[in-house]
Amino acid sequence: MSPLPTIEDIRRAAARLAPHAHVTPVMTSRTIDGMAGARVFFKCENLQRVGAFKFRGACNAVLALSDEDARRGVATHSSGNHAAALALAARIRGVPAHIVMPESAPAVKRAAVEGYGARIVTCAPTLRAREETLARVLSETGAILVHPYNDAHVIAGQGTAALELASQVEDLDAVVAPVGGGGLLSGTAVATSALSRARTVGAEPRAADDAARSLREGKILPSNDPITIADGLRTSLGELTFAVLRERGVEIVTVGEEDIVKAMRVVWERMKILIEPSSAVPVAAVLLRKVQGARIGVILSGGNVDLSKLPFA
């Protein structure tokens, strides 16, 4: 296993990302404060490039490659935000990107990846097919694998969102982020614990609660094809992210499907910004008052939503 990322790694990532990533704003809502019983500060990664925090990790990983490795190109399997993030990061570095996507991937997401100049390789919509196809692509191209979350450079890149938040808002009692594979939450935990007294809390769907179970039992207990509207959080923790979350003593809270949809709608109605269901998970936890503290930071992880399928329309 790779060494666990540190705050120094996150600071180096911030320096690499400075010419390329947005410093996203922090927004507030008095109405939501009243509902939550706390001052809530929303770190708007839905306004990041590619519409999600994933750009930070993918870009840091690509920019950290040596020139020799970068020339080989990069590859991954993803049907979501990591696919677009890696495609854009590769375009910035001027290297090839090979993205394995299931045939079932939405056309809008395929179009985004192709728009950034990546090569898409399609496969059947199963994890086994994605992994087998990616292995073949890596063998044929010699490209470097950039894992969506179980990668120290990716974790460090994701941690730059919390690094920014710490400079934008002082005296937080807690910082809450969604957890699927754990890259964002791990980076958040490293940055937050190094820079403030705030606790780091992960929020996940009750229907995909592998992080809560894994940390409680002290071993990785993956979810088995969980069904949740928060499609970005269906992935289970990796070896590296699990180790970081254990080391940092991160707490996990869970929320129901109706709570996620309600939170997504509240943010749209009260703040006039659109977030994806995965982003709404930590919002739901705060609205349900499952996170203790008078001043709470929430990382809104992304805003890529199919407008024809809004769950509250």
Side-chain angles (χ1 to χ4, degrees), residues 43 45 53 56 157-166 168 184 299:
K43 178 64 169 165
E45 286 297 292
F53 77 96
R56 295 177 182 270
Q158 318 303 30
T160 61
L163 182 72
E164 288 176 9
L165 178 61
Q168 292 167 311
L184 175 62
I299 298 184

Side-chain angles (χ1 to χ4, degrees), residues 86-115:
L86 187 62
L88 177 54
R91 189 179 79 177
I92 289 170
R93 184 78 191 261
V95 301
H98 311 274
I99 312 294
V100 175
M101 301 186 77
E103 298 161 342
S104 58
V108 65
K109 293 190 175 181
R110 286 178 54 96
V113 172
E114 289 174 332

